PDB file of all heavy atoms in Angstrom:
ATOM      1  N   PRO Z 812     -15.839  -7.161   1.930  1.00 71.00           N
ATOM      2  CA  PRO Z 812     -16.244  -8.377   2.657  1.00 71.00           C
ATOM      3  C   PRO Z 812     -15.427  -8.615   3.929  1.00 71.00           C
ATOM      4  O   PRO Z 812     -15.956  -9.077   4.935  1.00 71.00           O
ATOM      5  CB  PRO Z 812     -16.009  -9.500   1.630  1.00 71.00           C
ATOM      6  CG  PRO Z 812     -14.982  -8.955   0.696  1.00 71.00           C
ATOM      7  CD  PRO Z 812     -15.239  -7.485   0.621  1.00 71.00           C
ATOM      8  N   ASP Z 813     -14.132  -8.295   3.896  1.00 62.00           N
ATOM      9  CA  ASP Z 813     -13.279  -8.554   5.050  1.00 62.00           C
ATOM     10  C   ASP Z 813     -13.609  -7.651   6.224  1.00 62.00           C
ATOM     11  O   ASP Z 813     -13.547  -8.069   7.381  1.00 62.00           O
ATOM     12  CB  ASP Z 813     -11.803  -8.372   4.671  1.00 62.00           C
ATOM     13  CG  ASP Z 813     -11.280  -9.533   3.839  1.00 62.00           C
ATOM     14  OD1 ASP Z 813     -11.890 -10.609   3.920  1.00 62.00           O
ATOM     15  OD2 ASP Z 813     -10.295  -9.355   3.119  1.00 62.00           O
ATOM     16  N   VAL Z 814     -13.927  -6.391   5.935  1.00 60.00           N
ATOM     17  CA  VAL Z 814     -14.269  -5.471   7.019  1.00 60.00           C
ATOM     18  C   VAL Z 814     -15.534  -5.936   7.726  1.00 60.00           C
ATOM     19  O   VAL Z 814     -15.624  -5.929   8.957  1.00 60.00           O
ATOM     20  CB  VAL Z 814     -14.444  -4.039   6.480  1.00 60.00           C
ATOM     21  CG1 VAL Z 814     -15.121  -3.149   7.516  1.00 60.00           C
ATOM     22  CG2 VAL Z 814     -13.095  -3.448   6.108  1.00 60.00           C
ATOM     23  N   HIS Z 815     -16.506  -6.375   6.940  1.00 59.00           N
ATOM     24  CA  HIS Z 815     -17.745  -6.868   7.561  1.00 59.00           C
ATOM     25  C   HIS Z 815     -17.464  -8.069   8.446  1.00 59.00           C
ATOM     26  O   HIS Z 815     -17.950  -8.145   9.582  1.00 59.00           O
ATOM     27  CB  HIS Z 815     -18.753  -7.251   6.477  1.00 59.00           C
ATOM     28  CG  HIS Z 815     -20.009  -7.867   7.019  1.00 59.00           C
ATOM     29  ND1 HIS Z 815     -20.981  -7.130   7.668  1.00 59.00           N
ATOM     30  CD2 HIS Z 815     -20.435  -9.157   7.044  1.00 59.00           C
ATOM     31  CE1 HIS Z 815     -21.962  -7.937   8.056  1.00 59.00           C
ATOM     32  NE2 HIS Z 815     -21.652  -9.170   7.693  1.00 59.00           N
ATOM     33  N   GLU Z 816     -16.667  -8.995   7.949  1.00 60.00           N
ATOM     34  CA  GLU Z 816     -16.346 -10.195   8.731  1.00 60.00           C
ATOM     35  C   GLU Z 816     -15.559  -9.845   9.984  1.00 60.00           C
ATOM     36  O   GLU Z 816     -15.802 -10.384  11.066  1.00 60.00           O
ATOM     37  CB  GLU Z 816     -15.547 -11.171   7.876  1.00 60.00           C
ATOM     38  CG  GLU Z 816     -15.194 -12.463   8.600  1.00 60.00           C
ATOM     39  CD  GLU Z 816     -14.400 -13.407   7.720  1.00 60.00           C
ATOM     40  OE1 GLU Z 816     -14.260 -13.121   6.522  1.00 60.00           O
ATOM     41  OE2 GLU Z 816     -13.913 -14.424   8.249  1.00 60.00           O
ATOM     42  N   ALA Z 817     -14.607  -8.911   9.850  1.00 54.00           N
ATOM     43  CA  ALA Z 817     -13.791  -8.525  11.000  1.00 54.00           C
ATOM     44  C   ALA Z 817     -14.615  -7.823  12.063  1.00 54.00           C
ATOM     45  O   ALA Z 817     -14.443  -8.049  13.267  1.00 54.00           O
ATOM     46  CB  ALA Z 817     -12.648  -7.617  10.544  1.00 54.00           C
ATOM     47  N   LEU Z 818     -15.545  -6.977  11.630  1.00 50.00           N
ATOM     48  CA  LEU Z 818     -16.332  -6.214  12.594  1.00 50.00           C
ATOM     49  C   LEU Z 818     -17.293  -7.095  13.370  1.00 50.00           C
ATOM     50  O   LEU Z 818     -17.613  -6.810  14.529  1.00 50.00           O
ATOM     51  CB  LEU Z 818     -17.105  -5.106  11.873  1.00 50.00           C
ATOM     52  CG  LEU Z 818     -16.262  -3.934  11.359  1.00 50.00           C
ATOM     53  CD1 LEU Z 818     -17.133  -2.941  10.604  1.00 50.00           C
ATOM     54  CD2 LEU Z 818     -15.548  -3.238  12.516  1.00 50.00           C
ATOM     55  N   THR Z 819     -17.766  -8.182  12.763  1.00 54.00           N
ATOM     56  CA  THR Z 819     -18.694  -9.051  13.478  1.00 54.00           C
ATOM     57  C   THR Z 819     -18.033  -9.727  14.668  1.00 54.00           C
ATOM     58  O   THR Z 819     -18.702 -10.109  15.626  1.00 54.00           O
ATOM     59  CB  THR Z 819     -19.262 -10.127  12.535  1.00 54.00           C
ATOM     60  OG1 THR Z 819     -18.175 -10.888  11.997  1.00 54.00           O
ATOM     61  CG2 THR Z 819     -20.052  -9.498  11.402  1.00 54.00           C
ATOM     62  N   GLY Z 820     -16.706  -9.863  14.624  1.00 51.00           N
ATOM     63  CA  GLY Z 820     -16.000 -10.488  15.736  1.00 51.00           C
ATOM     64  C   GLY Z 820     -15.274  -9.505  16.622  1.00 51.00           C
ATOM     65  O   GLY Z 820     -14.502  -9.891  17.491  1.00 51.00           O
ATOM     66  N   THR Z 821     -15.525  -8.214  16.405  1.00 46.00           N
ATOM     67  CA  THR Z 821     -14.821  -7.197  17.171  1.00 46.00           C
ATOM     68  C   THR Z 821     -15.454  -6.984  18.539  1.00 46.00           C
ATOM     69  O   THR Z 821     -16.662  -7.106  18.694  1.00 46.00           O
ATOM     70  CB  THR Z 821     -14.843  -5.862  16.389  1.00 46.00           C
ATOM     71  OG1 THR Z 821     -14.196  -6.065  15.146  1.00 46.00           O
ATOM     72  CG2 THR Z 821     -14.133  -4.775  17.152  1.00 46.00           C
ATOM     73  N   PHE Z 822     -14.636  -6.670  19.529  1.00 46.00           N
ATOM     74  CA  PHE Z 822     -15.074  -6.400  20.904  1.00 46.00           C
ATOM     75  C   PHE Z 822     -15.925  -7.548  21.459  1.00 46.00           C
ATOM     76  O   PHE Z 822     -17.099  -7.379  21.778  1.00 46.00           O
ATOM     77  CB  PHE Z 822     -15.873  -5.094  20.981  1.00 46.00           C
ATOM     78  CG  PHE Z 822     -15.120  -3.922  20.442  1.00 46.00           C
ATOM     79  CD1 PHE Z 822     -15.552  -3.274  19.302  1.00 46.00           C
ATOM     80  CD2 PHE Z 822     -13.972  -3.468  21.063  1.00 46.00           C
ATOM     81  CE1 PHE Z 822     -14.848  -2.203  18.797  1.00 46.00           C
ATOM     82  CE2 PHE Z 822     -13.268  -2.395  20.570  1.00 46.00           C
ATOM     83  CZ  PHE Z 822     -13.707  -1.761  19.433  1.00 46.00           C
ATOM     84  N   PRO Z 823     -15.374  -8.742  21.541  1.00 50.00           N
ATOM     85  CA  PRO Z 823     -16.141  -9.871  22.086  1.00 50.00           C
ATOM     86  C   PRO Z 823     -16.568  -9.599  23.518  1.00 50.00           C
ATOM     87  O   PRO Z 823     -15.822  -9.023  24.309  1.00 50.00           O
ATOM     88  CB  PRO Z 823     -15.136 -11.038  22.017  1.00 50.00           C
ATOM     89  CG  PRO Z 823     -13.798 -10.377  21.999  1.00 50.00           C
ATOM     90  CD  PRO Z 823     -13.980  -9.088  21.247  1.00 50.00           C
ATOM     91  N   PHE Z 824     -17.783  -9.980  23.804  1.00 44.00           N
ATOM     92  CA  PHE Z 824     -18.327  -9.720  25.145  1.00 44.00           C
ATOM     93  C   PHE Z 824     -19.167 -10.911  25.527  1.00 44.00           C
ATOM     94  O   PHE Z 824     -20.322 -11.038  25.145  1.00 44.00           O
ATOM     95  CB  PHE Z 824     -19.176  -8.450  25.134  1.00 44.00           C
ATOM     96  CG  PHE Z 824     -19.470  -7.920  26.499  1.00 44.00           C
ATOM     97  CD1 PHE Z 824     -18.525  -7.176  27.183  1.00 44.00           C
ATOM     98  CD2 PHE Z 824     -20.686  -8.177  27.113  1.00 44.00           C
ATOM     99  CE1 PHE Z 824     -18.783  -6.684  28.452  1.00 44.00           C
ATOM    100  CE2 PHE Z 824     -20.956  -7.689  28.383  1.00 44.00           C
ATOM    101  CZ  PHE Z 824     -20.001  -6.936  29.050  1.00 44.00           C
ATOM    102  N   ALA Z 825     -18.604 -11.837  26.317  1.00 50.00           N
ATOM    103  CA  ALA Z 825     -19.307 -13.068  26.653  1.00 50.00           C
ATOM    104  C   ALA Z 825     -18.890 -13.519  28.036  1.00 50.00           C
ATOM    105  O   ALA Z 825     -18.179 -12.815  28.752  1.00 50.00           O
ATOM    106  CB  ALA Z 825     -18.988 -14.136  25.613  1.00 50.00           C
ATOM    107  N   GLY Z 826     -19.345 -14.702  28.390  1.00 58.00           N
ATOM    108  CA  GLY Z 826     -18.953 -15.296  29.661  1.00 58.00           C
ATOM    109  C   GLY Z 826     -19.340 -14.449  30.864  1.00 58.00           C
ATOM    110  O   GLY Z 826     -20.449 -13.920  30.950  1.00 58.00           O
ATOM    111  N   ALA Z 827     -18.400 -14.305  31.794  1.00 61.00           N
ATOM    112  CA  ALA Z 827     -18.668 -13.597  33.052  1.00 61.00           C
ATOM    113  C   ALA Z 827     -19.009 -12.133  32.809  1.00 61.00           C
ATOM    114  O   ALA Z 827     -19.870 -11.567  33.491  1.00 61.00           O
ATOM    115  CB  ALA Z 827     -17.456 -13.708  33.967  1.00 61.00           C
ATOM    116  N   ASP Z 828     -18.349 -11.520  31.845  1.00 55.00           N
ATOM    117  CA  ASP Z 828     -18.642 -10.119  31.555  1.00 55.00           C
ATOM    118  C   ASP Z 828     -20.089  -9.940  31.125  1.00 55.00           C
ATOM    119  O   ASP Z 828     -20.792  -9.033  31.564  1.00 55.00           O
ATOM    120  CB  ASP Z 828     -17.714  -9.600  30.451  1.00 55.00           C
ATOM    121  CG  ASP Z 828     -16.286  -9.462  30.943  1.00 55.00           C
ATOM    122  OD1 ASP Z 828     -16.094  -9.265  32.160  1.00 55.00           O
ATOM    123  OD2 ASP Z 828     -15.365  -9.537  30.108  1.00 55.00           O
ATOM    124  N   CYS Z 829     -20.528 -10.817  30.220  1.00 56.00           N
ATOM    125  CA  CYS Z 829     -21.892 -10.739  29.726  1.00 56.00           C
ATOM    126  C   CYS Z 829     -22.895 -10.981  30.851  1.00 56.00           C
ATOM    127  O   CYS Z 829     -23.884 -10.261  30.977  1.00 56.00           O
ATOM    128  CB  CYS Z 829     -22.084 -11.761  28.612  1.00 56.00           C
ATOM    129  SG  CYS Z 829     -23.725 -11.734  27.866  1.00 56.00           S
TER     130      CYS Z 829
END
Side-chain angles (χ1 to χ4, degrees):
D813 285 338
V814 166
H815 175 74
E816 181 180 352
L818 288 177
T819 58
T821 300
F822 304 114
F824 195 80
D828 290 333
C829 182

